[in-house]
Amino acid sequence: MTTRVRFAPAPTGFLHVGSARSALFNWLYAQSTGGEMILRIEDTDAALRKPEFIDAIVKPLQTLGITWDEGPYYQSQRKQFHVDAVEQLVASGNAYFCNLTRDEADALAKEAGLPGGYHGWSRDKGIEDGPDCVVRFRTPDEGEIVIDDVIRGEVRFNTAELEDFVIRRSDGSPTFLVANAVDDADMSISHVIRGEDLLNTTPKVMLLWDALDLGEKPTYAHLPLLVNEQRKKLSKRRDDVSLMDFLSKGYLPEAMVNHLALLGWGPPDEKEIRPISEIIELFKLENVNKGSAFFDVTKLNHINGEYIRALPVETFIEMAEPFVYGVDTEITWDKDNYKPEVFEMVAGDVQQRVSTFSEIPHFISWLFTDAVEYDTESKGWNKGLRKAKKAPEILDGIAEAFADVQWTGEAMNAAVSEVGDRLEVRSQVPARIAITGTNAGIPLWDAAATLDRDVVLRRLAAARALL
RNA sequence: GCCCCCAUCGUCCAGCGGCCUAGGACGCCUGCCUUUCACGCAGGUAACACGGGUUCGAAUCCCGUUGGGGGUGCCA
């Protein structure tokens, strides 16, 4: 039997990293078992039926290289099957109509001194269907549902503790629980791989599955949650988790996928950064962890840096385009001042130093602006220039030498070293700070030679004035 | 409250009863390389939550405690 998995997101906006991880693990499992993957949009709630949200899911998946064999299917388009299932459940006595609002049910429970949840007040009341009626599933008063989870082992639920949950809203639309059971059966899903936050809904789906007589159930695997620094489930509201945002900030899809694969799973040989083909080969669903994992951007940065450095420099230059022309990110220079040939010259040096593409401007902005800003509060400025021995003399000496030095990197470098030798101090760092504004950066002189002589002289004077 | 899940360095992962004086990676620190920074290289820092069992032997199995998380919607 070929394995068939599905990624079934609710279209509630942009795809976030947690969903992407779920999609990825489904995909990894399908790939590693030679199975098939289905994309199914869970839009049973009318409020979710927005076409722009579909793009927000499909596009990032494609960018990440997560492919599917069928779909996207839309649950909204399969509504009739779900409606039929609800009718069947009512006819068989497994479900009944209920006209209580949530508030009324809560009030009744409070009055009766019962804990939260719905206690089956409308059971056996013979309520007829009407405009304000929902359909509820009659959960068994006794018995146990056992989920044999690939990742967690056996998980047991006492059916008496399951409330009579709603399977059809008062507007006539069936809920995702019904859609889940019916669609997973129709689509011959063999493995349901999803986040642990859905674990509690699984016994309900299984109850429906049996009541609907849908045949063999899929195998379940509940992935550990991705959490933030406070160890709370990643949420769109409070966390920065839009996948597309990461991509447009200059994270490579391959690096993102690699990082995501390492959250909740690890290769037995401990080699973390590796091509997706190897990850597929090594991936075992039963080896996935149970504990939640912190989505650590610091580690992502490292992985991304590794991937960037591995790029051919021509590719790096090509991919850097949006970031040097300010398409998606801010640039600090006037677009007319940008010189592509200068960037191409230093690209290899920049490539070695960035962990995301969005850091590129930081390393090259001094090449495309007239004046640089000096952060006189920074450690670099203070340690490298202000407190440097004979700093004023160094800058004066360089300015003097630069007035008529041959304008090549080699000659400039030599002149600066000569000033340092004469004063018996280190002159390179002070020069760098005066010219670029910072003590850290790409090899200086060949790049600096692309600037006009008077621009450099002005910067030397400006820095000198701040001492 | 009730139900469910989880628990190895700060973080991610390895470990599936003896190979563990617990390994790798990120981070952090030190040194080397270097006219800066980074890369690279060589080191260092740092964990089996606690308490009971089981066993000749437990990070690994069982129970409890504590801690964390998820769910508890006419969202999915």
Side-chain angles (χ1 to χ4, degrees):
Chain A
M1 186 183 100
T2 63
T3 56
R4 279 170 66 86
V5 300
R6 82 315 198 267
F7 174 54
T12 55
F14 59 76
L15 189 75
H16 74 95
V17 293
S19 311
R21 204 275 301 253
S22 290
L24 175 63
F25 277 40
N26 271 287
W27 183 79
L28 285 174
Y29 185 65
Q31 294 291 313
S32 67
T33 57
E36 293 158 353
M37 172 144 148
I38 288 158
L39 177 61
R40 188 173 78 211
I41 308 294
E42 309 239 310
D43 57 352
T44 63
D45 189 6
L48 300 179
R49 229 161 285 155
K50 294 188 181 166
E52 64 267 29
F53 286 167
I54 309 304
D55 245 22
I57 290 169
V58 167
K59 183 102 180 304
L61 287 177
Q62 287 172 335
T63 308
L64 290 180
I66 296 174
T67 55
W68 53 93
D69 303 282
E70 289 176 33
Y73 294 115
Y74 298 90
Q75 287 195 322
S76 57
Q77 289 174 0
R78 296 180 43 81
K79 184 175 177 182
Q80 194 53 49
F81 297 113
H82 312 146
V83 170
D84 292 347
V86 170
E87 274 174 21
Q88 188 186 328
L89 289 167
V90 172
S92 62
N94 283 298
Y96 59 89
F97 298 106
C98 169
N99 54 11
L100 291 179
T101 64
R102 181 77 241 170
D103 286 347
E104 286 166 347
D106 285 345
L108 280 166
K110 200 174 172 191
E111 198 177 300
L114 293 166
Y118 174 80
H119 298 276
W121 307 102
S122 304
R123 269 190 185 188
D124 306 314
K125 292 244 166 65
I127 295 167
E128 296 282 315
D129 198 3
D132 293 320
C133 274
V134 300
V135 177
R136 290 182 181 273
F137 184 80
R138 181 191 295 261
T139 59
D141 293 330
E142 53 186 40
E144 193 178 50
I145 299 285
V146 181
I147 301 165
D148 194 7
D149 192 283
V150 178
I151 295 169
R152 279 153 221 288
E154 289 188 352
V155 183
R156 292 162 187 280
F157 293 88
N158 189 337
T159 58
E161 281 157 359
L162 263 23
E163 76 278 8
D164 284 2
F165 53 91
V166 172
I167 59 175
R168 193 211 69 185
R169 306 182 185 89
S170 55
D171 68 1
S173 64
T175 62
F176 92 106
L177 295 162
V178 183
N180 242 264
V182 170
D183 292 353
D184 283 346
D186 281 356
M187 296 173 190
S188 306
I189 301 301
S190 67
H191 295 259
V192 174
I193 304 167
R194 24 119 91 142
E196 193 199 338
D197 49 347
L198 273 331
L199 184 52
N200 289 305
T201 70
T202 307
K204 295 176 183 173
V205 174
M206 290 177 104
L207 247 19
L208 290 172
W209 199 284
D210 286 336
L212 254 11
D213 197 18
L214 294 174
E216 201 185 334
K217 297 190 188 76
T219 302
Y220 284 86
H222 287 92
L223 305 169
L225 256 23
L226 256 36
V227 298
N228 61 20
E229 212 148 10
Q230 287 75 241
R231 308 233 47 110
K232 305 261 192 229
K233 180 168 84 156
L234 247 32
S235 110
K236 291 178 184 176
R237 280 200 59 171
R238 58 174 125 86
D239 304 307
D240 222 1
V241 289
S242 162
L243 202 100
M244 269 320 195
D245 281 357
F246 277 102
L247 264 21
S248 58
K249 268 187 273 184
Y251 289 92
L252 294 169
E254 295 82 358
M256 182 55 98
V257 164
N258 199 149
H259 180 238
L260 251 20
L262 262 15
L263 262 25
W265 175 83
D269 61 7
E270 304 192 327
K271 185 184 163 198
E272 296 190 323
I273 298 178
R274 66 201 316 165
I276 190 67
S277 57
E278 289 182 24
I279 292 175
I280 290 168
E281 212 169 298
L282 262 12
F283 184 79
K284 293 261 187 308
L285 191 56
E286 58 270 30
N287 286 350
V288 171
N289 289 159
K290 299 184 232 235
S292 52
F294 170 49
F295 184 80
D296 189 357
V297 178
T298 307
K299 179 131 185 183
L300 208 211
N301 285 339
H302 171 258
I303 294 174
N304 204 57
E306 295 269 327
Y307 274 86
I308 286 179
R309 268 173 254 125
L311 253 25
V313 66
E314 304 78 46
T315 311
F316 175 76
I317 291 168
E318 227 169 89
M319 296 185 75
E321 260 188 38
F323 301 91
V324 294
Y325 286 107
V327 175
D328 285 325
T329 47
E330 278 187 30
I331 49 173
T332 51
W333 55 82
D334 188 329
K335 282 185 189 185
D336 296 334
N337 287 342
Y338 178 68
K339 301 189 192 76
E341 69 279 7
V342 171
F343 175 60
E344 281 179 35
M345 184 182 103
V346 301
D349 293 323
V350 174
Q351 183 181 7
Q352 296 305 115
R353 288 167 174 76
V354 295
S355 60
T356 68
F357 281 88
S358 57
E359 290 168 12
I360 293 173
H362 170 74
F363 283 94
I364 60 172
S365 66
W366 63 279
L367 290 164
F368 307 122
T369 36
D370 277 344
V372 293
E373 280 179 28
Y374 301 106
D375 180 0
T376 55
E377 301 298 309
S378 72
K379 202 174 141 196
W381 171 272
N382 280 300
K383 198 167 166 233
L385 187 53
R386 172 176 295 164
K387 289 183 183 163
K389 282 182 197 147
K390 304 183 188 170
E393 290 91 328
I394 294 170
L395 295 187
D396 288 342
I398 294 172
E400 198 181 320
F402 274 15
D404 57 5
V405 74
Q406 189 195 353
W407 206 244
T408 65
E410 204 180 334
M412 293 159 83
N413 183 15
V416 168
S417 289
E418 198 268 321
V419 169
D421 290 346
R422 181 155 46 81
L423 298 170
E424 297 184 309
V425 293
R426 286 162 62 91
S427 56
Q428 291 284 345
V429 171
R432 171 182 292 277
I433 294 172
I435 295 171
T436 71
T438 161
N439 65 315
I442 56 175
L444 184 59
W445 296 114
D446 284 340
T450 67
L451 292 167
D452 289 340
R453 189 186 300 261
D454 49 314
V455 166
V456 172
L457 290 174
R458 273 202 300 274
R459 288 188 195 168
L460 287 166
R464 172 72 176 85
L466 289 169
L467 288 176

